[in-house]
Amino acid sequence: MRQIDVHKIADEARFNGFHGLVLFWCALIIIFDGYDLAVAGIALPSIMKQMGVDPTQAGFMVSSALFGMMFGAIFLGTIADRIGRRWAIAICIGLFSLFTAA
C-alpha cells in the first residue's frame, strides 16, 4: 500500500483559483454571519427607546446571540466531523439566514 504524506502535499501546494474561490466564499459567509450582530448593535439604542426595552433585556438579547454562536460552533463543529464540512456549512448558512430573517 502506498503511503501519502498529507503534510508534505499541503506544504508544497500552490495557491490557485480553487483556493481563491474557497477563500472568497468563506469571507462572504463570515461577512453575512456577522451582519446580524452588527445590525443589532447599531439598532439597539433605537430598539430600546421605541420598544421600551430596558438595559437588562437588551444585554440578554445581545449576549444570547453570542452564546448561540458559541454553542453552534461546539455542536456544529462536532457534526461537521461526522457529516462533512460542506454539509455543515450549508446547514449553518441556512440556520443563521432563517434566524436573521425571523
Side-chain angles (χ1 to χ4, degrees):
M1 182 191 283
R2 192 173 98 171
Q3 296 283 332
I4 297 175
D5 186 6
V6 176
H7 296 289
K8 182 179 178 186
I9 292 172
D11 288 340
E12 294 173 357
R14 300 274 185 237
F15 190 83
N16 59 30
F18 174 75
H19 299 119
L21 188 62
V22 169
L23 185 64
F24 167 76
W25 282 110
C26 288
L28 194 65
I29 289 168
I30 289 170
I31 289 168
F32 283 124
D33 186 29
Y35 178 76
D36 60 342
L37 293 175
V39 167
I42 292 169
L44 193 59
S46 297
I47 291 170
M48 289 174 66
K49 186 165 73 171
Q50 291 180 2
M51 299 182 82
V53 176
D54 65 11
T56 305
Q57 291 172 327
F60 178 74
M61 182 177 72
V62 174
S63 64
S64 63
L66 295 175
F67 275 107
M69 290 173 60
M70 179 184 70
F71 289 121
I74 292 169
F75 292 117
L76 287 168
T78 304
I79 290 171
D81 290 339
R82 297 200 174 153
I83 66 171
R85 304 276 182 232
R86 183 179 298 173
W87 283 108
I89 289 175
I91 290 169
C92 289
I93 292 170
L95 284 173
F96 72 68
S97 297
L98 177 73
F99 285 106
T100 300

